[in-house]
Amino acid sequence: VMGMSKLDVIGNSEIREKEKQNFDRALNGETFVIIELSEDPSLCRAYYESHYSPIVTDMGEVIGLTVFLTDITKRKEAEEALIESEERLAQIIYGMTWAIFVIDENHEVIYWNHACYQLTGMEAKNAVGGNQHWRAFFAEERPTLADLILNGASQDEMSRWYSEPVT
């Protein structure tokens, strides 16, 4: 719409005021990024990443601003789906009657279920986030089977630590 600012075309007064505050920040020389859910009820649910930057002359005078909006709805929905999936997985693991712990690529515990606590006496709060899980099973530091598998240990390497064949 020629001859009008973006603020002129925003119908919702609350959204217009919020956008004016963002414009003022940029016109005061601030560069920033905002990620937000669309608040306009006439639009479908959408997430936007807005990049605000002042336009500055060679003399350092702010003469305007730029705003670049990117629809990141698909990315945010994927992030939400991943969080939901992780929560479901955690509920499944924690609810299992088998003692289960899971380590990440850094050998840090990311899951330690109640059955594992009952078996070892080590509470999840003392295991999760650390790499001292071996303490629940051994008196001296040594790799657990999970550590050996993560490291891609050979059958011979596993047999050095575990006398029973690992299959």
Side-chain angles (χ1 to χ4, degrees):
V1 184
M2 291 289 276
M4 297 176 75
S5 78
K6 180 181 175 190
L7 295 176
D8 293 332
V9 296
I10 298 174
N12 182 303
S13 61
E14 287 179 32
I15 297 172
R16 185 173 44 253
E17 181 56 34
K18 192 171 170 183
E19 193 63 17
K20 183 182 178 328
Q21 290 172 3
N22 291 336
F23 280 21
D24 289 344
R25 285 175 63 188
L27 290 170
N28 283 321
E30 186 179 350
T31 298
F32 58 98
V33 177
I34 295 175
I35 296 176
E36 58 192 348
L37 180 61
S38 172
E39 297 175 24
D40 190 336
S42 66
L43 301 174
C44 62
R45 182 176 184 262
Y47 285 94
Y48 294 97
E49 183 175 85
S50 305
H51 294 254
Y52 294 82
S53 297
I55 299 172
V56 182
T57 67
D58 292 340
M59 303 295 289
E61 179 186 1
V62 176
I63 58 169
L65 68 120
T66 60
V67 181
F68 293 97
L69 271 65
T70 305
D71 183 343
I72 59 167
T73 304
K74 288 187 191 306
R75 182 181 90 194
K76 292 298 281 184
E77 288 172 347
E79 289 170 0
E80 289 171 0
L82 179 60
I83 289 168
E84 288 175 16
S85 176
E86 288 173 345
E87 288 171 352
R88 258 191 321 276
L89 176 61
Q91 288 173 350
I92 291 168
I93 290 174
Y94 291 133
M96 303 271 309
T97 57
W98 303 325
I100 298 174
F101 71 94
V102 179
I103 57 176
D104 66 13
E105 66 276 0
N106 298 314
H107 297 265
E108 291 184 2
V109 176
I110 57 175
Y111 295 106
W112 188 273
N113 75 353
H114 186 70
C116 206
Y117 160 67
Q118 289 178 314
L119 175 71
T120 66
M122 181 180 278
E123 294 183 54
K125 69 179 182 182
N126 297 326
V128 174
N131 61 0
Q132 302 291 305
H133 50 285
W134 60 268
R135 292 182 185 276
F137 306 100
F138 309 112
E140 295 181 11
E141 184 173 1
R142 60 174 276 188
T144 64
L145 186 56
D147 294 303
L148 292 170
I149 291 170
L150 181 62
N151 288 342
S154 67
Q155 187 69 38
D156 289 340
E157 174 76 11
M158 288 186 192
S159 296
R160 231 178 351 159
W161 295 105
Y162 294 90
S163 58
E164 297 293 317
V166 178
T167 57

